[in-house]
Amino acid sequence: MSLKSIAAKIFAQIIYNKTQKWVQKPIETQQKVFQNLIASADFTQFGKDHHFKEIKSFEDFAKQVPIRDYEALRPYIDRVVKGEENILWKGKPIYFAKTSGTTSGAKYVPLTQESMPFHIEAARNAILSYIHETGKADFVGGKMIFLQGSPILEEKNGIKLGRLSGIVAHFVPKYLQKNRMPSWETNCIEDWETKVDAIVEETFNENMTVISGIPSWVQMYFEKLEQKGGKAVGDIFKNFNLFIYGGVNYEPYRAKFENLIGRKVDSIELFPASEGFFAYQDSQKDKGMLLLLNSGIFYEFVKSDVFFTENPRRYTIGEVELNVNYVLIISTNAGLWAYNIGDTVQFTSLKPYRVIVSGRIKHYISAFGEHVIGKEVECALKEAMEDTGISVNEFTVAPQIAPNSGLPYHEWFIEFENEPENLHYFALKIDNAMRKQNVYYDDLIVGKVLKTLVISKVPKNGFQDYMKSIGKLGGQNKIPRLSNDRTIADLLKRT
């Protein structure tokens, strides 16, 4: 065993012991985080507007600070973006993570001096937790690749901005710099297909031991490696035994990955977002990810089945139950207050608190990290039909992640009343409208991770037949505008 592996095991033990201190006191830990957040922001504009100095308990907070999403918090965020200080958090953010908006294009999520270190520590601790549990540390001597966005940053009113993964690239610890791949120059390539080709060339003859990234992107990398080498990825990288992922559900990809690799490898799931790093998989044996209760984030949970009712009850960590679908609400040391990130979670364990991401509070597609919502597909179709004689009875959208050939795509199932003369041209119009609304979807098309959407015509009354087949014809039952799996799609294919 190398000195580096021995050092990693010692460090893993230290971090494990440190983690256990707050894991064993979850309620007290969250209460301390809550008090620190309120005390740190009572002089900010948001704190003054919501009478933080009068808040003595969570009950006070819940009465005075309503749950908000980005659009509701935007009046404050817009002031931060303009360069004003002490609005949501003390001073100014050090970065904005630029992410996809739901109704107004790009969102600017603040990252502060206090919040940024937790993004880095959580990713590091996920690996150290794996080392502590499994005793496997030899991989630290090999090369590690992190497929991520470009680290080239823009600037807005004196604050740097970029994709979160690109910002994080600036914080790779020095002890990982020699092991980290790809090179800085390759990481800066904007076109995804060109970037992956360059990564393949750089890594092909290296001792790759850890590979990390969103599964859909890593799949492209693996396929190109297989094409170049004419053999399984596991034969090209004989010491590759750890895959780290986040952002989308890995399960639809698992069989494909094992086929491409040629064997099973251990995996670590992460739950990061621009708004915070919430959880990581701390055990290869137990289901779920350890919720990070000591990372400058105070969590609230609202049962998803009552979320859209007036004044739904807001639960704290000590009140949650197993296997209940909760909307995740956060308050953070980046100045997000009672903020709805849109994700739903379920607890798989209460000792310690572990969660799985169960979906979004609304229907969505994010098979490739694109975060497409119902409003976007409805607006895109409406725009494509404007000033035409085309009319649609019903439609739904699903991802096709494993086509028989070519790139994956979004498949639109449409029952036309009056169909277009040129179906391909109509699909292009919808696709262009989608790309204008959703920056992530546009990135995936430009980077050749996805190809232009495909329209599959549903025969007359096809949707009615489908609803009848599942016992939901009539009443208040509706076809979901979009789904993140192929359950509906596969049944429609049979109509």
Side-chain angles (χ1 to χ4, degrees), residues 1-36:
M1 183 179 292
S2 68
L3 287 175
K4 202 167 187 178
S5 297
I6 294 171
K9 285 191 172 186
I10 294 171
F11 192 26
Q13 182 65 56
I14 292 170
I15 294 301
Y16 173 79
N17 293 341
K18 185 177 179 181
T19 301
Q20 287 305 301
K21 289 181 179 179
W22 61 259
V23 165
Q24 298 301 324
K25 297 181 178 181
I27 297 172
E28 295 93 326
T29 297
Q30 275 285 276
Q31 181 62 23
K32 184 177 180 180
V33 169
F34 173 75
Q35 292 170 344
N36 287 340

Side-chain angles (χ1 to χ4, degrees), residues 249 251-253 358-359 363-368 370 396-401 409-411 413 466 480-492:
N249 186 5
E251 290 310 311
Y253 299 89
S358 52
H363 294 300
Y364 71 109
I365 294 178
S366 198
F368 308 91
E370 61 271 49
T396 192
V397 188
Q400 175 51 274
I401 68 171
Y409 53 88
H410 283 190
E411 187 169 10
F413 293 85
Y466 162 72
R481 280 291 175 246
L482 62 176
S483 307
N484 205 37
D485 58 40
R486 303 238 352 135
T487 303
I488 297 174
D490 291 340
L491 286 171
L492 287 172

Side-chain angles (χ1 to χ4, degrees), residues 190-198 220 224 407 446-448:
E190 291 288 348
D191 179 76
W192 184 253
E193 192 166 42
T194 303
K195 184 174 186 171
V196 174
D197 286 339
M220 176 186 283
K224 288 180 177 289
L407 293 173
V446 172
K448 296 182 174 61

Side-chain angles (χ1 to χ4, degrees), residues 392-463:
V392 168
N393 289 332
E394 188 60 273
F395 78 101
T396 192
V397 188
Q400 175 51 274
I401 68 171
N404 292 328
S405 62
L407 293 173
Y409 53 88
H410 283 190
E411 187 169 10
W412 287 57
F413 293 85
I414 303 179
E415 182 181 324
F416 290 99
E417 181 66 28
N418 296 309
E419 67 182 74
E421 293 180 4
N422 188 322
L423 200 62
H424 177 68
Y425 177 69
F426 186 62
L428 281 175
K429 288 182 69 177
I430 300 175
D431 204 71
N432 287 334
M434 280 297 307
R435 291 173 64 178
K436 285 189 293 184
Q437 293 186 82
N438 188 306
V439 64
Y440 283 143
Y441 183 77
D442 183 60
D443 286 348
L444 293 166
I445 296 292
V446 172
K448 296 182 174 61
V449 175
L450 292 179
K451 72 176 183 180
T452 302
L453 65 87
V454 173
I455 295 176
S456 292
K457 291 193 295 182
V458 176
K460 188 75 170 177
N461 299 321
F463 282 99

Side-chain angles (χ1 to χ4, degrees), residues 130-147:
Y130 170 81
I131 291 173
H132 178 267
E133 183 192 37
T134 66
K136 298 175 183 178
D138 289 344
F139 65 85
V140 301
K143 297 289 187 179
M144 306 179 186
I145 189 168
F146 301 90
L147 295 180

Side-chain angles (χ1 to χ4, degrees), residues 239-258:
N239 295 316
F240 165 49
N241 282 297
L242 181 59
F243 173 52
I244 304 173
Y245 68 95
V248 298
N249 186 5
Y250 179 45
E251 290 310 311
Y253 299 89
R254 190 178 293 276
K256 176 72 172 177
F257 267 53
E258 290 178 358

